[in-house]
Amino acid sequence: MTPDSPHAPKPGLLPGERLDDLLTDQLKIIQSPEVFSFSLDAVLLARFATVPPRGRVLDLCTGNGVVPLLLSTRTAAAIEGIELQPRLADMARRSVEWNGLGDRLTIREGDLRAFAVAPPDAYDAVTVNPPYLPVKSGDIKSNVHIAMARHEIGCTLDDVAAACGRLVRSGGRVAMVHRPARLADIMEALRRHGLEPKRMRFVHPRAGAEANMVLIEALRDGRPELRLLPPLIVYGEDGAYTEELLDVFYGRRRELIDANAPSDDDAERGTGT
């Protein structure tokens, strides 16, 4: 019996850990209040990113592995995740093992600033949910796991963009979730590393409220042409999640609306999916 068999013994939970339901395809994920647990931004990233039906996909700053797990429901590609913090990388590996996905998902412990591959091995798509705050912005938590998830302690925005540009193939896609306040920095960093922004969608907590997240996707070596998608509203007037949010939470939709519509540039290149 292989470790990835559905009947294989499940990996154990360490003290303080719990097993949460991802509400999609019976997937489970190991979490702990002692480290930074995933939130809505990771779910939206996994449902926004354009991924190939096959090939190779890489998730940077993978944390406890939520994005690779959710991406596994959308593609038959081999998916890798890279995480700097040993404890989170271990949790991600055990979550992969728990779900019997070790034949498709690989979690690496490592620093994205040093990770490189030869050009023939470049990835077809890269996703990333990086730390949002510069080190000098806001209070840094004493809990190192939470501090590194929120602040650019282990990598800066430019480090992230450089890694994405280095690791994705020409014509491949990079999807990121971040804060709208950093949008000018994001656009500048992506372009500096050969990544042309192609699709963008703002996320608003309620209709009429200021956006608090931005989803952005870039094309390696693409031509300038940015599509601004309709805003994504999280809560309706009744305070409940909107239908689109419920659909992606419960797996009724594997991708956000209009997530994979190719641009004219993609059609010319033949890179649209």
Side-chain angles (χ1 to χ4, degrees), residues 218-251:
L219 187 72
R220 186 72 166 94
D221 302 322
R223 297 184 307 186
E225 181 191 0
L226 176 62
R227 296 176 58 234
L228 185 59
L229 303 180
L232 175 60
I233 309 301
V234 176
Y235 297 105
E237 293 181 359
D238 59 357
Y241 283 125
T242 58
E243 185 174 354
E244 185 175 7
L245 259 293
L246 289 174
D247 283 346
V248 297
F249 272 145
Y250 288 99

Side-chain angles (χ1 to χ4, degrees), residues 131-152:
Y132 291 163
L133 302 174
V135 171
K136 295 182 180 180
S137 174
D139 295 329
I140 297 179
K141 301 296 183 183
S142 58
N143 182 313
V144 65
H145 304 291
I146 296 176
M148 292 187 69
R150 292 179 175 174
H151 287 80
E152 294 178 339

Side-chain angles (χ1 to χ4, degrees), residues 14 17 85-95 107 109:
L14 301 182
E17 292 181 343
Q85 299 186 63
R87 182 172 179 182
L88 284 170
D90 175 66
M91 291 170 68
R93 287 194 195 98
R94 285 184 288 123
S95 288
I107 304 298
E109 180 188 326

Side-chain angles (χ1 to χ4, degrees), residues 47-95:
R47 298 315 191 193
F48 170 80
T50 300
V51 290
R54 293 177 179 79
R56 301 174 68 232
V57 177
L58 176 66
D59 182 52
L60 300 175
C61 305
T62 204
N64 63 356
V66 61
V67 172
L69 288 171
L70 291 174
L71 288 177
S72 74
T73 69
R74 298 184 54 206
T75 177
I79 303 171
E80 297 177 33
I82 296 180
E83 173 52 43
L84 179 62
Q85 299 186 63
R87 182 172 179 182
L88 284 170
D90 175 66
M91 291 170 68
R93 287 194 195 98
R94 285 184 288 123
S95 288

Side-chain angles (χ1 to χ4, degrees), residues 50 52 54-58 122-126 167-169 171-174:
T50 300
R54 293 177 179 79
R56 301 174 68 232
V57 177
L58 176 66
Y123 294 87
D124 298 294
V126 176
L167 295 166
V168 73
R169 65 171 176 81
R173 292 178 178 272
V174 171

